[in-house]
Amino acid sequence: MNCDESRLLLDAYADGELDLVRHIELEAHLKACPTCLRRSEAIAARRIRIRDSLPRFPASQELRGRIHASLRAEARGAARQGPLPFPVAWRRWNLAGLAASVTVALLAGYSWGSHHARSTSLADEAFAGHMRSLQASHLTDVTSTDRHTVKPWFAGKLDFSPPVVDLADLGFPLVGGRLDQIDGHTAAALVFRRRLHAINVFVWPARGAISPPRSATESGFSAQGWTHGGLNFLAVSEIPAAELEQFAGEFRKRTE
Amino acid sequence: MEASVPTETSTFEQLMLPHLDSAYNLSRWLLRDPHDAEDAVQDACLRAFRAFGGFRGADGRAWFLTIVRNVCYSHLRQGKRESLKVAFEEDLHGSPEDSGEANAQSWLEVKGELLRQALERLPPEYREVIVLHDVEGLSYREIAGVAEIPLGTVMSRLARGRGKLQAELASLSQNTSP
């Protein structure tokens, strides 16, 4: 083995990845060639330094939760309607539109409550929309558990100021907010977590004729609505209706 | 609702989620942005879940990382910053350019942060073999499977990548020290 051949193998040698024959040949060469031996030592030191100094980025708890939720939604969705197409261009999805359709469908379902078939299909649509919004990971535009970060983020983006509360002490931590559309208005969507589930609270000015439903439940999907201080509020989630009611009650208590 | 989750979901989570840190780490290094990296891992998880029926149980980590890598490269190709010119570069430079001339001691003084910056400057093909081997501890053979390249290419890319890393590091050190 000559020095040129040796140079090509030194990294693999340091990694212990050479086959036996070349390993033996290279060691023989290193015994005979001080230049290659020095180079080999430098490469071994470099390898250790790289290995010990490069940071390893672990997955966040938030990502784990999101994945857990999206897998469950996927499993349920697959059982309902077969595999959904899922483009790679996550960010290009019109999620605001999807989320708005969820809520509008709920509102419509509520006002036409007597038309049971209609209400059921709308709720199904709403459920599918909610599911996709979880999968597509555009739950938040601003991600923070600090309401003093989330509230100012909306300033300048909306012509009203949504109240932002923290309910972490009750097991509903704030995770962030995003802009959304509802009933023809730009709305604030505040996002909370309950265990691994998301709760969206849509907030928009109470100018329209249509008020949010006080409560609605369909297919394991529930909503709680109210109006206060000239703003409409509608909380939507797949957590049990009783828990969402508790959440809405505490949210109101802290903002009214 | 917990009871309605099919056992397939639990099996998938038991086998794949232990590798979530590896998946995120690879994605984070390839995309160099925490939000893009999370999106890619989540997308990869769903793809893996849908393809799980075809998984034969050989090496869950390698199988999962292959999917993560493919999603990351789609993302890189789709958009932005990164052009995949490494094959061309490999033709131009026939041998490792580093030559390990720097002595062992100077390497031990290198700061971790500088090393991170230097690695982020490398083309993704070099970044990934270094991350997979030196951070994740995959063998050459496992890397060949994940990156879908021959074993010999893993060896040369790793050697060349470390050489490039050393060169980037030298240029960064020059810029930061008086």
Side-chain angles (χ1 to χ4, degrees):
Chain A
M1 183 175 289
N2 62 35
C3 294
D4 284 344
E5 286 168 335
S6 145
R7 280 171 70 152
L8 296 171
L9 300 176
L10 288 175
D11 274 273
Y13 174 69
D15 289 334
E17 289 271 0
L18 279 188
D19 60 78
L20 188 60
V21 173
R22 285 196 287 183
H23 185 96
I24 291 168
E25 284 176 1
L26 181 61
E27 288 201 324
H29 176 76
L30 293 180
K31 272 192 190 132
C33 175
T35 311
C36 282
L37 181 62
R38 261 201 315 281
R39 188 174 288 140
S40 175
E41 283 165 357
I43 281 176
R46 177 176 80 184
R47 170 182 172 275
I48 288 168
R49 186 66 199 168
I50 292 173
R51 202 187 55 200
D52 292 350
S53 304
L54 279 178
R56 183 176 196 240
F57 300 100
S60 66
Q61 279 309 313
E62 204 260 326
L63 177 63
R64 285 176 191 278
R66 241 166 63 185
I67 285 171
H68 186 72
S70 69
L71 288 175
R72 289 160 48 90
E74 169 76 10
R76 265 183 269 121
R80 288 162 69 96
Q81 59 193 32
L84 292 165
F86 196 83
V88 181
W90 323 274
R91 291 191 193 279
R92 296 195 190 133
W93 278 34
N94 186 352
L95 294 161
L98 279 171
S101 76
V102 171
T103 316
V104 170
L106 272 175
L107 292 169
Y110 179 76
S111 55
W112 292 331
S114 58
H115 301 280
H116 184 69
R118 171 99 189 168
S119 154
T120 304
S121 78
L122 283 169
D124 278 351
E125 197 184 315
F127 180 72
H130 182 71
M131 225 167 68
R132 264 181 249 122
S133 86
L134 293 176
Q135 288 178 350
S137 75
H138 183 222
L139 209 49
T140 55
D141 289 328
V142 52
T143 304
S144 173
T145 56
D146 182 359
R147 65 197 178 96
H148 300 297
T149 303
V150 175
K151 190 175 167 67
W153 182 85
F154 284 111
K157 299 184 180 71
L158 296 168
D159 58 356
F160 62 96
S161 176
V164 182
V165 296
D166 187 7
L167 299 167
D169 52 326
L170 299 166
F172 302 101
L174 177 69
V175 292
R178 67 171 191 282
L179 291 180
D180 217 314
Q181 282 284 322
I182 200 164
D183 193 22
H185 295 279
T186 304
L190 307 173
V191 185
F192 295 82
R193 286 256 173 225
R194 177 62 162 180
R195 294 181 301 272
L196 294 171
H197 301 283
I199 303 171
N200 280 299
V201 181
F202 298 93
V203 187
W204 73 104
R207 291 183 207 122
I210 192 161
S211 301
R214 206 179 59 74
S215 74
T217 307
E218 194 68 57
S219 304
F221 185 79
S222 51
Q224 287 275 323
W226 68 96
T227 302
H228 174 73
L231 295 174
N232 286 330
F233 296 81
L234 186 63
V236 184
S237 182
E238 54 187 344
I239 62 173
E243 285 187 19
L244 190 65
E245 198 178 337
Q246 184 212 350
F247 168 83
E250 293 297 335
F251 190 107
R252 294 183 68 165
K253 213 184 282 176
R254 293 189 188 188
T255 53
E256 291 179 2
Chain B
M1 280 215 271
E2 296 289 340
S4 74
V5 176
T7 51
E8 193 195 355
T9 317
S10 313
T11 311
F12 176 83
E13 291 192 341
Q14 276 167 23
L15 286 174
M16 295 303 150
L17 295 196
H19 308 305
L20 201 59
D21 282 341
S22 298
Y24 178 73
N25 186 48
L26 176 63
S27 176
R28 174 68 178 71
W29 276 111
L30 279 176
L31 300 179
R32 299 182 298 191
D33 175 89
H35 297 294
D36 287 352
E38 291 203 339
D39 283 352
V41 170
Q42 186 171 7
D43 188 19
C45 268
L46 282 168
R47 283 163 188 271
F49 181 57
R50 290 188 194 122
F52 192 47
F55 172 62
R56 293 285 167 262
D59 181 351
R61 180 171 65 161
W63 182 78
F64 188 26
L65 289 178
T66 305
I67 296 172
V68 170
R69 177 185 178 273
N70 288 339
V71 171
C72 289
Y73 273 86
S74 310
H75 193 62
L76 288 175
R77 269 188 220 104
Q78 248 175 31
K80 347 189 191 179
R81 334 185 256 266
E82 211 86 58
S83 59
L84 306 177
K85 53 180 184 182
V86 65
F88 177 67
E89 286 188 4
E90 274 182 349
D91 288 342
L92 281 181
H93 305 285
S95 65
E97 59 212 51
D98 85 82
S99 64
E101 238 72 5
N103 66 40
Q105 189 54 38
S106 75
W107 266 90
L108 295 175
E109 291 159 1
V110 167
K111 296 222 163 43
E113 171 56 21
L114 224 47
L115 195 57
R116 185 189 64 74
Q117 288 177 26
L119 183 56
E120 288 202 334
R121 289 183 173 198
L122 296 195
E125 280 79 356
Y126 293 116
R127 232 183 296 149
E128 76 182 349
V129 289
I130 291 174
V131 168
L132 288 173
H133 188 274
D134 292 335
V135 184
E136 290 301 329
L138 267 64
S139 70
Y140 284 19
R141 188 166 297 283
E142 287 172 312
I143 296 170
V146 170
E148 292 164 328
I149 50 178
L151 204 55
T153 307
V154 175
M155 187 166 103
S156 60
R157 224 175 248 185
L158 197 51
R160 199 164 292 139
R162 286 170 177 162
K164 284 173 176 292
L165 183 60
Q166 185 169 359
E168 286 292 349
L169 204 53
S171 98
L172 278 170
S173 304
Q174 268 178 5
N175 293 341
T176 51
S177 61

